[in-house]
Amino acid sequence: LILAGALGLVVVCAWLASTLGSEFIPQLDEGDIALHALRITGTGLEQSVEMQELLEKTIIDFEEVDKVYAKVGTPEVATDPMPPNVADTFVMLKPRSEWPTPDKPKSQLIKELEKAVTALPGNNYEFTQPIQMRFNELLAGVRAELAIKVFGDDFAQLEALGKQIEGVVSGVEGAADIQMEQVTGLPVLTITPRDSVLAGYGLDKAELQSQLAIALGGEVAGRFYEGDRRADIVVRLAEKQRTDMEALGYLPVQVPGAGAVPLRELASIELVDGFNQVNRENGKRRVVVTANVRGRDLGSFVDDVRTAINDDVAVPSGYWVEYGGTYEKLQSASQRLTLVVPLTLVMIVALLYFALGSFKDALVIFTGVPLALTGGVLLLVLRDIPFSISAAVGFIALSGIAILNGLVMVSFIRELMRDGVALDEAIIEGAVTRLRPIITTALVASLGFVPMALNTGIGSEVQRPLATVVIGGILSSTVLTLFVLPALYRLVNGKSAHIVNQP
């Protein structure tokens, strides 16, 4: 009956483990906020600075905010090259004791900030944290937790697919700060010659292009020397005239035998939207849709996103979708664990066999591992903590404690049998005698992790999964070791109750 109950518990916990969410590492609360502000492509530096000042005035009005500073565009040391229309805004918060409502969750403050800044026209935002933003950027080249990459050849098709995916992801629970990278919208001055008019004036395109290149791009006409310093003398139109389309229409173009003719008669001048950037990866063009996750784990969120895209987005032949960001590291770590953990467990069984000289007894002790994992899974479910690399480390540590407790009991039972005690008496006496050492070991290990499990300070997000797994696993391992392991040992060795000599 005991063995059947233990087996049922393992099966139930295995099912519960499959329902746990997953994430690479728990999201740490850094205390401050990083706000990625994006403006319309082509926004000039002066305009961007004015919009940034308005944004900072809105943020500093919050009583929880201590100071705000920003970095616009590309610095002199171009370690973080960004266009003038993009700004990294760092919001430094006051200590909790100075907040009007000290127990206000940071997530609520972010929602209030988002509502306030969204009212400002011409801006789009991504809310993250300073270290987290850089960490994500180093991992996948994007600042968000999830990067949905669309690959293909036709850039217009890629943009259309990206917008479709952006709309689909916005409907997934937990999605926040959804953005598609700005691939178009850069204003481009286009001058298209009128061939028939050029032919009538006897002017070829090369001559027209040469005169426009001097007027707009400039040409070196000489050099100016001042001591050891020298500078090029460049002839071109003034900045104001080069950016005034109406004035450019009256630009005089020299025509052989006809003097000067306004440019507007020889060509059409228009401002069109061009490509802002064309990114490639592994030789293929790609666009990226980014998203952050709030209120749920990353693994289940990506599963829902993948399902929604497969159902609602028709990806043409020759185009494909990949998922990156922090999720990519979660997959990599999970694949590595699926190789390392089984190998480690096999090595543990081998070491137990070498120590006991009995493969059956080694397997009996090894059953303590799944029995211990049940408690860790149950406590994760009760505390609503998703599986992460931190929790995986806790499960690995827990396996060692479970093996130790089982080895203590089985070794003592074998010692009693070697002294001539009958199997049943040896099992009962071994369980009773080793009760105190096993409970002491369990209490020392579990009580030491209680402060980590209940911690709410900086870094507690990483500590809690590990401590939760160890505490829950030790409790289940202790109870099940004292009851299940003796019954299992009796079942395995009941028919052949002979003494197995230790090597």
Side-chain angles (χ1 to χ4, degrees), residues 57-135:
K57 288 178 182 178
T58 303
I59 295 175
I60 202 66
D61 287 340
F62 283 80
E63 298 183 28
E64 295 87 353
V65 176
D66 184 23
K67 59 178 72 73
V68 183
Y69 65 93
K71 177 170 64 65
V72 181
T74 302
E76 293 182 1
V77 180
T79 54
D80 187 20
M82 303 296 286
N85 63 306
V86 176
D88 288 334
T89 307
F90 299 94
V91 183
M92 317 304 290
L93 303 179
K94 296 177 182 177
R96 284 269 180 176
S97 58
E98 299 180 17
W99 286 23
T101 309
D103 58 345
K104 177 193 290 187
K106 184 181 175 183
S107 57
Q108 182 180 344
L109 175 61
I110 292 177
K111 289 181 180 179
E112 294 174 358
L113 279 171
E114 185 175 15
K115 182 178 180 181
V117 300
T118 304
L120 301 177
N123 295 279
N124 215 343
Y125 308 98
E126 291 179 0
F127 282 85
T128 179
Q129 301 178 102
I131 298 175
Q132 181 188 3
M133 178 179 67
R134 296 303 177 196
F135 183 70

Side-chain angles (χ1 to χ4, degrees), residues 153-360:
D153 295 319
D154 185 359
F155 210 68
Q157 180 67 58
L158 288 176
E159 184 184 9
L161 286 173
K163 290 181 178 179
Q164 277 186 273
I165 291 174
E166 185 180 10
V168 169
V169 173
S170 62
V172 177
E173 180 187 357
D177 307 328
I178 306 165
Q179 303 283 343
M180 188 182 80
E181 64 180 354
Q182 297 174 318
V183 295
T184 58
L186 184 66
V188 177
L189 178 64
T190 303
I191 301 176
T192 307
R194 296 188 177 96
D195 295 337
S196 57
V197 178
L198 290 180
Y201 282 105
L203 182 68
D204 59 16
K205 291 183 180 179
E207 179 61 26
L208 176 62
Q209 289 174 344
S210 175
Q211 295 188 41
L212 289 177
I214 295 173
L216 301 177
E219 183 174 291
V220 177
R223 283 185 175 173
F224 175 75
Y225 294 88
E226 185 178 3
D228 293 334
R229 300 173 60 187
R230 61 182 181 180
D232 290 335
I233 300 174
V234 179
V235 177
R236 66 178 179 184
L237 291 176
E239 175 70 21
K240 184 177 181 180
Q241 293 175 313
R242 283 186 284 129
T243 56
D244 187 347
M245 292 180 57
E246 186 68 23
L248 280 177
Y250 294 97
L251 177 70
V253 177
Q254 299 299 320
V255 176
V261 177
L263 177 61
R264 59 189 301 176
E265 293 187 14
L266 303 175
S268 61
I269 306 171
E270 57 182 342
L271 204 61
V272 299
D273 285 342
F275 292 135
N276 178 48
Q277 58 184 4
V278 179
N279 290 323
R280 287 180 173 83
E281 189 172 319
N282 297 326
K284 278 290 184 179
R285 291 180 174 181
R286 63 114 171 110
V287 296
V288 178
V289 179
T290 60
N292 287 321
V293 187
R294 293 183 196 161
R296 63 181 301 187
D297 64 282
L298 178 61
S300 64
F301 171 75
V302 176
D303 290 340
D304 289 349
V305 168
R306 192 192 302 269
T307 302
I309 291 176
N310 291 338
D311 293 343
D312 300 334
V313 179
V315 181
S317 176
Y319 296 79
W320 69 93
V321 178
E322 293 183 2
Y323 300 86
T326 309
Y327 175 74
E328 190 176 359
K329 295 302 175 184
L330 170 62
Q331 286 184 310
S332 175
S334 300
Q335 292 172 359
R336 194 173 292 113
L337 285 174
T338 56
L339 175 65
V340 172
V341 172
L343 181 62
T344 303
L345 296 179
V346 170
M347 293 177 63
I348 289 175
V349 174
L351 291 174
L352 288 173
Y353 173 75
F354 292 139
L356 301 173
S358 170
F359 189 67
K360 290 192 300 181

